[in-house]
Amino acid sequence: MAQPHELRERGLRLTPQRELVLAAVRELDHATPEEIAEKVRQTHPGINLSTAYRNLETLENVGLVQHSHLGHGGASYHASEEVAHLHLVCGTCGSVGDAPIEVASSFVNELSEDYGFRTDVSHFAVYGTCSTCSQKELE
Amino acid sequence: MAQPHELRERGLRLTPQRELVLAAVRELDHATPEEIAEKVRQTHPGINLSTAYRNLETLENVGLVQHSHLGHGGASYHASEEVAHLHLVCGTCGSVGDAPIEVASSFVNELSEDYGFRTDVSHFAVYGTCSTCSQKELE
DNA sequence: CTGAATCTGCGAATCATTCGCAAGTGGTCT
DNA sequence: AGACCACTTGCGAATGATTCGCAGATTCAG
């Protein structure tokens, strides 16, 4: 009995690499599978990239982590308990800024009411030009 | 003299494949490089995929075409003169719906005022669940 | 018509992600 | 503790999308 581990509780086996992947996602925020594997290697050198990918997928299925698409590159993972927020990706300098999800609430509501579309604003990045780069363009 | 071709006018050489790529982008809307190459092959069988990619990049540099990221897959190209609109991608069924860009105007304004971020709403898809799939979930 | 710079075709290289498979391990049931 | 089996892992190969290197072809200015 005793209280089951959070992974077991979701029907997953408890393996060192799985725990480490989850820990890495929680520690690094917005990390690519590659970066997560790299992090895990610090304590478990042998871990394979495929294993990182597979565990991220598994953890996502049970809702412990989620991924979003930031730049043109690959996906970026973060823990589910993290507060959801918008990602403002600058197409000019590549920086990624954050903004509270509330900024989009009226937009989300409108899409819901008019189109019946339930938006997950944090899944894809919001693309544009950051204030710094906008300034520079004026020069 | 005479009026220069729209491509020459932008400092580009006028090659058959380049014109065809541009024509294909205009004809097919939201096409992947692969689909564009396929289209071009109808009139110019020999065109190489790399050439399509290179020309799309070149055309994008001079502002004649633009690309956006719809699903997890590759980029999708469209002509610049096309009216910008939002892409509503359903994560469940994969469908891509459209919505006028005005729906996002207050959202865009807010980001601009509060964060100085100039948003290009049509570059990345808006991710979520379409009305059809939302319905099904309730059953 | 000629030359130089720009393009194109092609195959190889890259990057991110997924697969197949055999060997290893975790959890359950005795 | 011992045995079993399904789930996992490591590894290398397979994919799919995109980029690169290069030699030969083409465009366009003079």
Side-chain angles (χ1 to χ4, degrees):
Chain A
M1 325 338 9
Q3 62 157 118
H5 185 284
E6 65 178 328
L7 291 177
R8 304 235 43 234
E9 182 165 74
R10 287 164 218 257
L12 299 182
R13 280 202 182 164
L14 199 48
T15 68
Q17 28 284 78
R18 190 164 286 168
E19 284 188 277
L20 289 165
V21 165
L22 178 54
V25 172
R26 287 179 170 154
E27 202 164 330
L28 313 166
D29 245 23
H30 292 156
T32 61
E34 190 77 51
E35 293 165 338
I36 290 166
E38 194 48 54
K39 175 79 186 171
V40 173
R41 285 203 187 93
Q42 291 176 12
T43 44
H44 186 109
I47 197 177
N48 193 280
L49 229 201
S50 316
T51 302
Y53 272 101
R54 282 187 289 227
N55 278 324
L56 286 169
E57 190 186 331
T58 305
L59 292 170
E60 184 154 34
N61 284 336
V62 297
L64 285 169
V65 308
Q66 288 174 246
H67 75 271
S68 55
H69 297 276
L70 271 37
H72 286 196
S76 173
Y77 284 81
H78 61 272
S80 294
E81 53 263 34
E82 185 203 330
V83 178
H85 54 263
L86 302 178
H87 304 294
L88 307 180
V89 174
C90 175
T92 306
C93 69
S95 69
V96 179
D98 287 356
I101 207 144
E102 291 73 45
V103 178
S105 57
S106 67
F107 170 53
V108 172
N109 286 336
E110 197 163 341
L111 284 179
S112 169
E113 283 160 27
D114 299 354
Y115 300 87
F117 190 84
R118 297 210 324 265
T119 308
D120 170 4
V121 249
S122 62
H123 191 73
F124 273 111
V126 176
Y127 187 84
T129 312
C130 71
S131 55
T132 310
C133 291
S134 291
Q135 299 270 278
K136 287 187 187 145
E137 278 178 27
L138 299 177
E139 287 161 22
Chain B
M1 320 257 73
Q3 61 162 114
H5 186 284
E6 65 179 326
L7 291 177
R8 304 234 45 235
E9 184 163 71
R10 287 164 221 258
L12 299 181
R13 279 199 181 168
L14 199 47
T15 69
Q17 30 281 77
R18 190 164 285 169
E19 284 187 277
L20 289 166
V21 165
L22 179 54
V25 172
R26 287 179 170 155
E27 203 165 329
L28 312 166
D29 245 23
H30 293 156
T32 61
E34 189 77 49
E35 293 165 339
I36 291 166
E38 192 49 52
K39 175 79 187 173
V40 173
R41 283 201 189 96
Q42 292 176 12
T43 44
H44 187 108
I47 196 176
N48 193 280
L49 230 200
S50 315
T51 303
Y53 272 101
R54 281 186 292 227
N55 278 326
L56 286 169
E57 190 187 330
T58 306
L59 292 171
E60 182 154 36
N61 285 336
V62 299
L64 285 169
V65 308
Q66 288 174 247
H67 75 271
S68 55
H69 297 275
L70 270 38
H72 286 196
S76 171
Y77 284 81
H78 61 271
S80 294
E81 52 262 34
E82 184 204 333
V83 177
H85 54 265
L86 301 179
H87 304 294
L88 307 180
V89 173
C90 175
T92 306
C93 69
S95 68
V96 180
D98 286 357
I101 207 139
E102 291 74 44
V103 178
S105 57
S106 66
F107 171 53
V108 171
N109 286 336
E110 197 163 343
L111 284 178
S112 169
E113 281 159 28
D114 301 353
Y115 300 87
F117 189 85
R118 296 209 325 265
T119 307
D120 170 5
V121 251
S122 63
H123 190 72
F124 272 112
V126 175
Y127 187 84
T129 311
C130 71
S131 56
T132 309
C133 291
S134 292
Q135 299 269 277
K136 287 189 187 143
E137 278 178 29
L138 299 178
E139 289 161 19

